[in-house]
Amino acid sequence: MMSEDLLKKDSQSSRTVEDIVNEIKELDVNCDPRHLVEDAFIRRYASLWSLKYRTLKGKPITYKSTTNPFANRPWQRQILDDNHPNKVVEKSRQLGLSEVSVTELIHFLAVHSNTKAMYTFPTYTQMQDFSVSRIAPVFKGNPVLQSLLSKEVNNVGMKKVGDSYLFMRSSSSGSIGEGVDTDCAYFDELDRMPNNVFEAFAEGLKSSAYGYVRRWSTPTTPGFGINALYQKSNQMRYIHTCPHCGHKQFLTPEDNIIQINPRGVNNITQEIEDGTFIIGCKKCKKELDRWQEGEWVATEPSIKEMRGYHISQLDATWIKADDIMRRKFNYSSKQLFYNYVLGEPYANEGLIIYEQDVKNCIRIPKEVTSRTSEYVGIAAGIDWGEPSWMVLLGLKPNGQIDILSIYWAESNPTQPLADASMMAAILRAYQPNIIVADAGYGADKNSYMYTQFPNAFYACQWTTSKDSRARIKFIDQWNERAREVNVDKTVKIQRTLHSIKNATLGLFPWNEKTQILAKHLNNTRILDDEDDGIIFQRAVRVGADHTVCSLTYAMIGMDKLTNYSIALNSGFRAEFI
């Protein structure tokens, strides 16, 4: 009983090795103290625990090998043994990090009594596959672990391990964390999850003595998802020491993939001869010995709140430089090559909007605050939220479109529809021909706006289509009876970015409003993504993007005015109250 209390205490503390040994010496126990020390270390370090209890495809787990490159993964150990409460891992694929996460998860439940862990996935199918192919074999591979698994509570979404519980959920719903007080939350492939998934678990984790958060993913674009978190962490990098010159370095494709055979690449046939590239030293350019164990070093050691790790295929002994460069030919998307193979975020600079891009659009003398004869059509776009935002577009007889003004309005808890009422009051001065508002939030506000502008108002439903043949991808679907329009979000956001980049929209002089617009545009990204072999694009944000959404809604409305061959100079039929 004394030994069990000791081991339980060890699993919940950060005592040193000397503390453990001294405490064991003071115990009056009949068993060999060396066994207690061994058990304490096995419980404390998940990597040691895995060596004793885990198998992979029927073979023991290994982290270090001098002969088998696939068994030589020394950089996994520290990631696995790190008990920091807030841990993030930015990684490339094919590095065995899924097995690391499984090991940490089962180890946590096995050695911490009466705890709960939640493991989340972007989709329900991924959750099912993980439960069947990753979790179930862990218990089948060892009789000790098998004895911990409850027969009554053992299904795809939930398992009881000893007196602890494992929940597995899809993160597609924001309600996954509601009502579940968890001790440890795992977020697998974070960049493929909806925004703010973590917030669903935040309150439940606060009541735990552990409150562990584990997030990892292949990155997508700089400043988004796992990369945004990694940038806020202590940014651990795996350091290799050159055996030739002694230079210490972490590996990057620009510095460490070195071509030693200048004739080894055939760009026409897209073939690479063996031995064309090496993983070499940044300084002396000689080949690095990746069999030699490196060390984890924090590049931002002053940051204590979050522990971050970055690891890529460049660090993997079994992956050669030639193979990496061959895959560069095979990827139709440069971004996915950087994400999946190199573990690096990547952005298409051509679609990133900078402040100067917005300033290039300035061509009207001042902000337009009401309808004038200069504009034959006016469209408004509204993004409901806290606060709500609105952008006004004006159409000139020559087809030129200008951004007339930008507004925002706060809601008021004591005055229902305060922001919608303010937007309606502003719109009356413009007499808009069409208003398109966000349908995903604020249904009561849309209902109110329809009563104020019944002939002009529409709500917009937008989604991202993964099927390039989908009709909605090219043609907006207008429903006059429902007063709704359905569009492909990514296509429309892309068009907005192109319009600013090419300065096809006019803009009023630089002020607070245009500065906000520039910031929101810079926060908008178009990502390449992949699902079941299908490569598609999706729009994401790395920060606030409200005016971008509002502008896009207004442009959707302007499409309807111009594409349907309405006689612009004859005026429009609309009702205003």
Side-chain angles (χ1 to χ4, degrees), residues 535-568:
I535 296 177
F536 63 98
Q537 293 182 308
R538 61 187 176 103
V540 300
R541 58 184 177 86
V542 299
D545 66 342
H546 311 292
T547 54
V548 179
C549 295
S550 302
L551 174 57
T552 303
Y553 290 136
M555 293 182 70
I556 292 168
M558 194 62 75
D559 282 342
K560 183 172 176 62
L561 296 185
T562 57
N563 292 348
Y564 282 68
S565 301
I566 298 175
L568 298 176

PDB file of all heavy atoms in Angstrom, residues 535-568:
ATOM      1  N   ILE A 535      -7.567  17.617 -53.634  1.00  0.00           N
ATOM      2  CA  ILE A 535      -6.966  18.880 -53.222  1.00  0.00           C
ATOM      3  C   ILE A 535      -7.955  20.002 -53.524  1.00  0.00           C
ATOM      4  O   ILE A 535      -8.459  20.117 -54.638  1.00  0.00           O
ATOM      5  CB  ILE A 535      -5.630  19.112 -53.940  1.00  0.00           C
ATOM      6  CG1 ILE A 535      -4.614  18.033 -53.528  1.00  0.00           C
ATOM      7  CG2 ILE A 535      -5.071  20.496 -53.603  1.00  0.00           C
ATOM      8  CD1 ILE A 535      -3.283  18.142 -54.236  1.00  0.00           C
ATOM      9  N   PHE A 536      -8.226  20.802 -52.529  1.00  0.00           N
ATOM     10  CA  PHE A 536      -9.145  21.926 -52.687  1.00  0.00           C
ATOM     11  C   PHE A 536      -8.587  23.108 -51.906  1.00  0.00           C
ATOM     12  O   PHE A 536      -7.579  22.999 -51.208  1.00  0.00           O
ATOM     13  CB  PHE A 536     -10.546  21.558 -52.196  1.00  0.00           C
ATOM     14  CG  PHE A 536     -10.611  21.235 -50.726  1.00  0.00           C
ATOM     15  CD1 PHE A 536     -11.025  22.194 -49.803  1.00  0.00           C
ATOM     16  CD2 PHE A 536     -10.254  19.975 -50.256  1.00  0.00           C
ATOM     17  CE1 PHE A 536     -11.071  21.900 -48.453  1.00  0.00           C
ATOM     18  CE2 PHE A 536     -10.313  19.670 -48.906  1.00  0.00           C
ATOM     19  CZ  PHE A 536     -10.718  20.647 -47.997  1.00  0.00           C
ATOM     20  N   GLN A 537      -9.234  24.253 -52.045  1.00  0.00           N
ATOM     21  CA  GLN A 537      -8.802  25.449 -51.329  1.00  0.00           C
ATOM     22  C   GLN A 537      -9.888  25.903 -50.368  1.00  0.00           C
ATOM     23  O   GLN A 537     -11.070  25.677 -50.602  1.00  0.00           O
ATOM     24  CB  GLN A 537      -8.470  26.575 -52.317  1.00  0.00           C
ATOM     25  CG  GLN A 537      -7.245  26.281 -53.177  1.00  0.00           C
ATOM     26  CD  GLN A 537      -6.905  27.422 -54.102  1.00  0.00           C
ATOM     27  OE1 GLN A 537      -7.748  27.907 -54.841  1.00  0.00           O
ATOM     28  NE2 GLN A 537      -5.648  27.848 -54.080  1.00  0.00           N
ATOM     29  N   ARG A 538      -9.445  26.547 -49.283  1.00  0.00           N
ATOM     30  CA  ARG A 538     -10.404  27.092 -48.323  1.00  0.00           C
ATOM     31  C   ARG A 538      -9.861  28.389 -47.754  1.00  0.00           C
ATOM     32  O   ARG A 538      -8.657  28.591 -47.647  1.00  0.00           O
ATOM     33  CB  ARG A 538     -10.709  26.104 -47.209  1.00  0.00           C
ATOM     34  CG  ARG A 538      -9.525  25.688 -46.350  1.00  0.00           C
ATOM     35  CD  ARG A 538      -9.920  24.579 -45.383  1.00  0.00           C
ATOM     36  NE  ARG A 538      -8.793  24.080 -44.609  1.00  0.00           N
ATOM     37  CZ  ARG A 538      -8.555  24.384 -43.342  1.00  0.00           C
ATOM     38  NH1 ARG A 538      -9.391  25.190 -42.698  1.00  0.00           N
ATOM     39  NH2 ARG A 538      -7.512  23.891 -42.697  1.00  0.00           N
ATOM     40  N   ALA A 539     -10.776  29.282 -47.417  1.00  0.00           N
ATOM     41  CA  ALA A 539     -10.412  30.570 -46.840  1.00  0.00           C
ATOM     42  C   ALA A 539     -10.383  30.450 -45.328  1.00  0.00           C
ATOM     43  O   ALA A 539     -11.301  29.882 -44.720  1.00  0.00           O
ATOM     44  CB  ALA A 539     -11.416  31.639 -47.268  1.00  0.00           C
ATOM     45  N   VAL A 540      -9.341  30.976 -44.710  1.00  0.00           N
ATOM     46  CA  VAL A 540      -9.230  30.991 -43.257  1.00  0.00           C
ATOM     47  C   VAL A 540      -8.758  32.375 -42.836  1.00  0.00           C
ATOM     48  O   VAL A 540      -8.364  33.200 -43.660  1.00  0.00           O
ATOM     49  CB  VAL A 540      -8.242  29.927 -42.736  1.00  0.00           C
ATOM     50  CG1 VAL A 540      -8.678  28.542 -43.140  1.00  0.00           C
ATOM     51  CG2 VAL A 540      -6.819  30.210 -43.221  1.00  0.00           C
ATOM     52  N   ARG A 541      -8.792  32.623 -41.533  1.00  0.00           N
ATOM     53  CA  ARG A 541      -8.314  33.900 -41.018  1.00  0.00           C
ATOM     54  C   ARG A 541      -7.278  33.657 -39.933  1.00  0.00           C
ATOM     55  O   ARG A 541      -7.383  32.694 -39.179  1.00  0.00           O
ATOM     56  CB  ARG A 541      -9.471  34.727 -40.453  1.00  0.00           C
ATOM     57  CG  ARG A 541     -10.262  34.043 -39.341  1.00  0.00           C
ATOM     58  CD  ARG A 541     -11.438  34.898 -38.915  1.00  0.00           C
ATOM     59  NE  ARG A 541     -12.264  34.256 -37.917  1.00  0.00           N
ATOM     60  CZ  ARG A 541     -12.049  34.305 -36.604  1.00  0.00           C
ATOM     61  NH1 ARG A 541     -10.995  34.958 -36.141  1.00  0.00           N
ATOM     62  NH2 ARG A 541     -12.861  33.710 -35.756  1.00  0.00           N
ATOM     63  N   VAL A 542      -6.293  34.522 -39.864  1.00  0.00           N
ATOM     64  CA  VAL A 542      -5.286  34.451 -38.810  1.00  0.00           C
ATOM     65  C   VAL A 542      -5.530  35.531 -37.768  1.00  0.00           C
ATOM     66  O   VAL A 542      -4.724  35.726 -36.855  1.00  0.00           O
ATOM     67  CB  VAL A 542      -3.861  34.572 -39.388  1.00  0.00           C
ATOM     68  CG1 VAL A 542      -3.579  33.438 -40.353  1.00  0.00           C
ATOM     69  CG2 VAL A 542      -3.653  35.921 -40.072  1.00  0.00           C
ATOM     70  N   GLY A 543      -6.615  36.237 -37.892  1.00  0.00           N
ATOM     71  CA  GLY A 543      -7.030  37.287 -36.962  1.00  0.00           C
ATOM     72  C   GLY A 543      -8.391  37.782 -37.389  1.00  0.00           C
ATOM     73  O   GLY A 543      -9.070  37.154 -38.210  1.00  0.00           O
ATOM     74  N   ALA A 544      -8.819  38.905 -36.866  1.00  0.00           N
ATOM     75  CA  ALA A 544     -10.132  39.461 -37.211  1.00  0.00           C
ATOM     76  C   ALA A 544     -10.238  39.708 -38.714  1.00  0.00           C
ATOM     77  O   ALA A 544      -9.293  40.173 -39.349  1.00  0.00           O
ATOM     78  CB  ALA A 544     -10.362  40.755 -36.443  1.00  0.00           C
ATOM     79  N   ASP A 545     -11.410  39.382 -39.278  1.00  0.00           N
ATOM     80  CA  ASP A 545     -11.601  39.554 -40.729  1.00  0.00           C
ATOM     81  C   ASP A 545     -12.985  40.106 -41.061  1.00  0.00           C
ATOM     82  O   ASP A 545     -13.483  39.931 -42.175  1.00  0.00           O
ATOM     83  CB  ASP A 545     -11.396  38.212 -41.443  1.00  0.00           C
ATOM     84  CG  ASP A 545     -12.471  37.182 -41.081  1.00  0.00           C
ATOM     85  OD1 ASP A 545     -13.169  37.366 -40.052  1.00  0.00           O
ATOM     86  OD2 ASP A 545     -12.633  36.197 -41.829  1.00  0.00           O
ATOM     87  N   HIS A 546     -13.607  40.812 -40.119  1.00  0.00           N
ATOM     88  CA  HIS A 546     -15.018  41.196 -40.261  1.00  0.00           C
ATOM     89  C   HIS A 546     -15.278  42.070 -41.482  1.00  0.00           C
ATOM     90  O   HIS A 546     -16.274  41.871 -42.201  1.00  0.00           O
ATOM     91  CB  HIS A 546     -15.477  41.924 -38.994  1.00  0.00           C
ATOM     92  CG  HIS A 546     -15.121  41.216 -37.733  1.00  0.00           C
ATOM     93  ND1 HIS A 546     -15.692  40.007 -37.378  1.00  0.00           N
ATOM     94  CD2 HIS A 546     -14.235  41.518 -36.754  1.00  0.00           C
ATOM     95  CE1 HIS A 546     -15.175  39.612 -36.223  1.00  0.00           C
ATOM     96  NE2 HIS A 546     -14.285  40.493 -35.829  1.00  0.00           N
ATOM     97  N   THR A 547     -14.420  43.055 -41.739  1.00  0.00           N
ATOM     98  CA  THR A 547     -14.670  43.920 -42.889  1.00  0.00           C
ATOM     99  C   THR A 547     -14.459  43.185 -44.208  1.00  0.00           C
ATOM    100  O   THR A 547     -15.065  43.540 -45.216  1.00  0.00           O
ATOM    101  CB  THR A 547     -13.766  45.164 -42.844  1.00  0.00           C
ATOM    102  OG1 THR A 547     -12.400  44.761 -42.727  1.00  0.00           O
ATOM    103  CG2 THR A 547     -14.125  46.045 -41.663  1.00  0.00           C
ATOM    104  N   VAL A 548     -13.608  42.151 -44.203  1.00  0.00           N
ATOM    105  CA  VAL A 548     -13.433  41.335 -45.412  1.00  0.00           C
ATOM    106  C   VAL A 548     -14.723  40.588 -45.718  1.00  0.00           C
ATOM    107  O   VAL A 548     -15.166  40.534 -46.876  1.00  0.00           O
ATOM    108  CB  VAL A 548     -12.263  40.356 -45.243  1.00  0.00           C
ATOM    109  CG1 VAL A 548     -12.111  39.485 -46.492  1.00  0.00           C
ATOM    110  CG2 VAL A 548     -10.975  41.098 -44.973  1.00  0.00           C
ATOM    111  N   CYS A 549     -15.331  40.002 -44.681  1.00  0.00           N
ATOM    112  CA  CYS A 549     -16.608  39.311 -44.883  1.00  0.00           C
ATOM    113  C   CYS A 549     -17.675  40.290 -45.345  1.00  0.00           C
ATOM    114  O   CYS A 549     -18.435  40.001 -46.284  1.00  0.00           O
ATOM    115  CB  CYS A 549     -17.039  38.623 -43.593  1.00  0.00           C
ATOM    116  SG  CYS A 549     -15.952  37.284 -43.049  1.00  0.00           S
ATOM    117  N   SER A 550     -17.743  41.460 -44.710  1.00  0.00           N
ATOM    118  CA  SER A 550     -18.747  42.455 -45.092  1.00  0.00           C
ATOM    119  C   SER A 550     -18.546  42.902 -46.532  1.00  0.00           C
ATOM    120  O   SER A 550     -19.518  43.017 -47.303  1.00  0.00           O
ATOM    121  CB  SER A 550     -18.665  43.664 -44.159  1.00  0.00           C
ATOM    122  OG  SER A 550     -18.856  43.290 -42.823  1.00  0.00           O
ATOM    123  N   LEU A 551     -17.299  43.165 -46.912  1.00  0.00           N
ATOM    124  CA  LEU A 551     -17.000  43.569 -48.277  1.00  0.00           C
ATOM    125  C   LEU A 551     -17.373  42.479 -49.266  1.00  0.00           C
ATOM    126  O   LEU A 551     -17.933  42.752 -50.342  1.00  0.00           O
ATOM    127  CB  LEU A 551     -15.511  43.907 -48.391  1.00  0.00           C
ATOM    128  CG  LEU A 551     -14.971  44.229 -49.790  1.00  0.00           C
ATOM    129  CD1 LEU A 551     -15.721  45.390 -50.422  1.00  0.00           C
ATOM    130  CD2 LEU A 551     -13.474  44.522 -49.725  1.00  0.00           C
ATOM    131  N   THR A 552     -17.109  41.235 -48.905  1.00  0.00           N
ATOM    132  CA  THR A 552     -17.432  40.115 -49.792  1.00  0.00           C
ATOM    133  C   THR A 552     -18.935  39.977 -49.965  1.00  0.00           C
ATOM    134  O   THR A 552     -19.432  39.737 -51.075  1.00  0.00           O
ATOM    135  CB  THR A 552     -16.827  38.818 -49.243  1.00  0.00           C
ATOM    136  OG1 THR A 552     -15.415  38.977 -49.098  1.00  0.00           O
ATOM    137  CG2 THR A 552     -17.101  37.647 -50.176  1.00  0.00           C
ATOM    138  N   TYR A 553     -19.700  40.116 -48.872  1.00  0.00           N
ATOM    139  CA  TYR A 553     -21.163  40.088 -48.984  1.00  0.00           C
ATOM    140  C   TYR A 553     -21.654  41.197 -49.912  1.00  0.00           C
ATOM    141  O   TYR A 553     -22.543  40.982 -50.760  1.00  0.00           O
ATOM    142  CB  TYR A 553     -21.807  40.260 -47.609  1.00  0.00           C
ATOM    143  CG  TYR A 553     -21.634  39.088 -46.670  1.00  0.00           C
ATOM    144  CD1 TYR A 553     -21.288  39.287 -45.334  1.00  0.00           C
ATOM    145  CD2 TYR A 553     -21.818  37.783 -47.102  1.00  0.00           C
ATOM    146  CE1 TYR A 553     -21.129  38.225 -44.454  1.00  0.00           C
ATOM    147  CE2 TYR A 553     -21.664  36.718 -46.243  1.00  0.00           C
ATOM    148  CZ  TYR A 553     -21.314  36.940 -44.921  1.00  0.00           C
ATOM    149  OH  TYR A 553     -21.154  35.879 -44.061  1.00  0.00           O
ATOM    150  N   ALA A 554     -21.088  42.396 -49.774  1.00  0.00           N
ATOM    151  CA  ALA A 554     -21.503  43.506 -50.628  1.00  0.00           C
ATOM    152  C   ALA A 554     -21.182  43.220 -52.095  1.00  0.00           C
ATOM    153  O   ALA A 554     -21.963  43.551 -53.001  1.00  0.00           O
ATOM    154  CB  ALA A 554     -20.827  44.796 -50.175  1.00  0.00           C
ATOM    155  N   MET A 555     -20.038  42.588 -52.360  1.00  0.00           N
ATOM    156  CA  MET A 555     -19.663  42.257 -53.733  1.00  0.00           C
ATOM    157  C   MET A 555     -20.572  41.182 -54.319  1.00  0.00           C
ATOM    158  O   MET A 555     -20.852  41.175 -55.517  1.00  0.00           O
ATOM    159  CB  MET A 555     -18.205  41.823 -53.782  1.00  0.00           C
ATOM    160  CG  MET A 555     -17.233  42.951 -53.461  1.00  0.00           C
ATOM    161  SD  MET A 555     -15.490  42.468 -53.558  1.00  0.00           S
ATOM    162  CE  MET A 555     -15.294  42.251 -55.320  1.00  0.00           C
ATOM    163  N   ILE A 556     -21.060  40.262 -53.460  1.00  0.00           N
ATOM    164  CA  ILE A 556     -22.034  39.272 -53.924  1.00  0.00           C
ATOM    165  C   ILE A 556     -23.309  39.982 -54.365  1.00  0.00           C
ATOM    166  O   ILE A 556     -23.913  39.657 -55.403  1.00  0.00           O
ATOM    167  CB  ILE A 556     -22.328  38.251 -52.808  1.00  0.00           C
ATOM    168  CG1 ILE A 556     -21.092  37.393 -52.537  1.00  0.00           C
ATOM    169  CG2 ILE A 556     -23.518  37.366 -53.165  1.00  0.00           C
ATOM    170  CD1 ILE A 556     -21.181  36.553 -51.274  1.00  0.00           C
ATOM    171  N   GLY A 557     -23.722  40.979 -53.581  1.00  0.00           N
ATOM    172  CA  GLY A 557     -24.892  41.776 -53.972  1.00  0.00           C
ATOM    173  C   GLY A 557     -24.652  42.535 -55.257  1.00  0.00           C
ATOM    174  O   GLY A 557     -25.536  42.612 -56.129  1.00  0.00           O
ATOM    175  N   MET A 558     -23.463  43.089 -55.410  1.00  0.00           N
ATOM    176  CA  MET A 558     -23.147  43.829 -56.635  1.00  0.00           C
ATOM    177  C   MET A 558     -23.148  42.900 -57.847  1.00  0.00           C
ATOM    178  O   MET A 558     -23.528  43.310 -58.960  1.00  0.00           O
ATOM    179  CB  MET A 558     -21.792  44.521 -56.477  1.00  0.00           C
ATOM    180  CG  MET A 558     -21.511  45.574 -57.522  1.00  0.00           C
ATOM    181  SD  MET A 558     -22.692  46.953 -57.504  1.00  0.00           S
ATOM    182  CE  MET A 558     -22.186  47.867 -56.052  1.00  0.00           C
ATOM    183  N   ASP A 559     -22.745  41.643 -57.654  1.00  0.00           N
ATOM    184  CA  ASP A 559     -22.817  40.663 -58.741  1.00  0.00           C
ATOM    185  C   ASP A 559     -24.246  40.533 -59.251  1.00  0.00           C
ATOM    186  O   ASP A 559     -24.492  40.464 -60.462  1.00  0.00           O
ATOM    187  CB  ASP A 559     -22.339  39.292 -58.254  1.00  0.00           C
ATOM    188  CG  ASP A 559     -20.824  39.206 -58.167  1.00  0.00           C
ATOM    189  OD1 ASP A 559     -20.150  40.051 -58.779  1.00  0.00           O
ATOM    190  OD2 ASP A 559     -20.325  38.297 -57.485  1.00  0.00           O
ATOM    191  N   LYS A 560     -25.182  40.476 -58.318  1.00  0.00           N
ATOM    192  CA  LYS A 560     -26.584  40.311 -58.721  1.00  0.00           C
ATOM    193  C   LYS A 560     -27.066  41.527 -59.510  1.00  0.00           C
ATOM    194  O   LYS A 560     -27.779  41.387 -60.515  1.00  0.00           O
ATOM    195  CB  LYS A 560     -27.470  40.098 -57.497  1.00  0.00           C
ATOM    196  CG  LYS A 560     -28.948  39.850 -57.826  1.00  0.00           C
ATOM    197  CD  LYS A 560     -29.725  39.461 -56.587  1.00  0.00           C
ATOM    198  CE  LYS A 560     -31.217  39.313 -56.881  1.00  0.00           C
ATOM    199  NZ  LYS A 560     -31.508  38.251 -57.865  1.00  0.00           N
ATOM    200  N   LEU A 561     -26.649  42.719 -59.091  1.00  0.00           N
ATOM    201  CA  LEU A 561     -27.068  43.924 -59.796  1.00  0.00           C
ATOM    202  C   LEU A 561     -26.522  43.979 -61.214  1.00  0.00           C
ATOM    203  O   LEU A 561     -27.221  44.386 -62.150  1.00  0.00           O
ATOM    204  CB  LEU A 561     -26.597  45.174 -59.043  1.00  0.00           C
ATOM    205  CG  LEU A 561     -27.168  45.415 -57.647  1.00  0.00           C
ATOM    206  CD1 LEU A 561     -26.680  46.747 -57.114  1.00  0.00           C
ATOM    207  CD2 LEU A 561     -28.694  45.369 -57.656  1.00  0.00           C
ATOM    208  N   THR A 562     -25.292  43.559 -61.415  1.00  0.00           N
ATOM    209  CA  THR A 562     -24.654  43.705 -62.728  1.00  0.00           C
ATOM    210  C   THR A 562     -24.828  42.485 -63.620  1.00  0.00           C
ATOM    211  O   THR A 562     -25.021  42.614 -64.823  1.00  0.00           O
ATOM    212  CB  THR A 562     -23.158  43.993 -62.553  1.00  0.00           C
ATOM    213  OG1 THR A 562     -22.564  42.937 -61.785  1.00  0.00           O
ATOM    214  CG2 THR A 562     -22.946  45.307 -61.828  1.00  0.00           C
ATOM    215  N   ASN A 563     -24.797  41.316 -63.070  1.00  0.00           N
ATOM    216  CA  ASN A 563     -24.837  40.095 -63.876  1.00  0.00           C
ATOM    217  C   ASN A 563     -26.218  39.772 -64.407  1.00  0.00           C
ATOM    218  O   ASN A 563     -26.373  38.972 -65.323  1.00  0.00           O
ATOM    219  CB  ASN A 563     -24.328  38.894 -63.068  1.00  0.00           C
ATOM    220  CG  ASN A 563     -22.843  39.005 -62.785  1.00  0.00           C
ATOM    221  OD1 ASN A 563     -22.164  39.838 -63.357  1.00  0.00           O
ATOM    222  ND2 ASN A 563     -22.344  38.172 -61.885  1.00  0.00           N
ATOM    223  N   TYR A 564     -27.223  40.380 -63.828  1.00  0.00           N
ATOM    224  CA  TYR A 564     -28.579  40.089 -64.282  1.00  0.00           C
ATOM    225  C   TYR A 564     -29.084  41.141 -65.264  1.00  0.00           C
ATOM    226  O   TYR A 564     -30.276  41.238 -65.537  1.00  0.00           O
ATOM    227  CB  TYR A 564     -29.532  39.981 -63.088  1.00  0.00           C
ATOM    228  CG  TYR A 564     -29.415  38.659 -62.365  1.00  0.00           C
ATOM    229  CD1 TYR A 564     -28.264  38.350 -61.666  1.00  0.00           C
ATOM    230  CD2 TYR A 564     -30.455  37.730 -62.392  1.00  0.00           C
ATOM    231  CE1 TYR A 564     -28.140  37.136 -60.999  1.00  0.00           C
ATOM    232  CE2 TYR A 564     -30.331  36.516 -61.726  1.00  0.00           C
ATOM    233  CZ  TYR A 564     -29.175  36.228 -61.034  1.00  0.00           C
ATOM    234  OH  TYR A 564     -29.053  35.028 -60.378  1.00  0.00           O
ATOM    235  N   SER A 565     -28.170  41.966 -65.803  1.00  0.00           N
ATOM    236  CA  SER A 565     -28.491  42.928 -66.873  1.00  0.00           C
ATOM    237  C   SER A 565     -29.596  43.893 -66.467  1.00  0.00           C
ATOM    238  O   SER A 565     -30.513  44.177 -67.248  1.00  0.00           O
ATOM    239  CB  SER A 565     -28.896  42.188 -68.163  1.00  0.00           C
ATOM    240  OG  SER A 565     -27.838  41.342 -68.576  1.00  0.00           O
ATOM    241  N   ILE A 566     -29.525  44.376 -65.237  1.00  0.00           N
ATOM    242  CA  ILE A 566     -30.505  45.370 -64.791  1.00  0.00           C
ATOM    243  C   ILE A 566     -30.146  46.709 -65.423  1.00  0.00           C
ATOM    244  O   ILE A 566     -28.981  47.095 -65.504  1.00  0.00           O
ATOM    245  CB  ILE A 566     -30.499  45.485 -63.260  1.00  0.00           C
ATOM    246  CG1 ILE A 566     -30.914  44.134 -62.656  1.00  0.00           C
ATOM    247  CG2 ILE A 566     -31.393  46.598 -62.754  1.00  0.00           C
ATOM    248  CD1 ILE A 566     -30.840  44.090 -61.158  1.00  0.00           C
ATOM    249  N   ALA A 567     -31.139  47.463 -65.860  1.00  0.00           N
ATOM    250  CA  ALA A 567     -30.893  48.775 -66.468  1.00  0.00           C
ATOM    251  C   ALA A 567     -30.506  49.751 -65.361  1.00  0.00           C
ATOM    252  O   ALA A 567     -31.348  50.316 -64.670  1.00  0.00           O
ATOM    253  CB  ALA A 567     -32.141  49.264 -67.208  1.00  0.00           C
ATOM    254  N   LEU A 568     -29.219  49.956 -65.206  1.00  0.00           N
ATOM    255  CA  LEU A 568     -28.738  50.701 -64.046  1.00  0.00           C
ATOM    256  C   LEU A 568     -29.216  52.150 -64.030  1.00  0.00           C
ATOM    257  O   LEU A 568     -29.493  52.714 -62.975  1.00  0.00           O
ATOM    258  CB  LEU A 568     -27.203  50.662 -64.032  1.00  0.00           C
ATOM    259  CG  LEU A 568     -26.582  49.266 -63.888  1.00  0.00           C
ATOM    260  CD1 LEU A 568     -25.060  49.362 -63.977  1.00  0.00           C
ATOM    261  CD2 LEU A 568     -26.977  48.645 -62.559  1.00  0.00           C
TER     262      LEU A 568
END
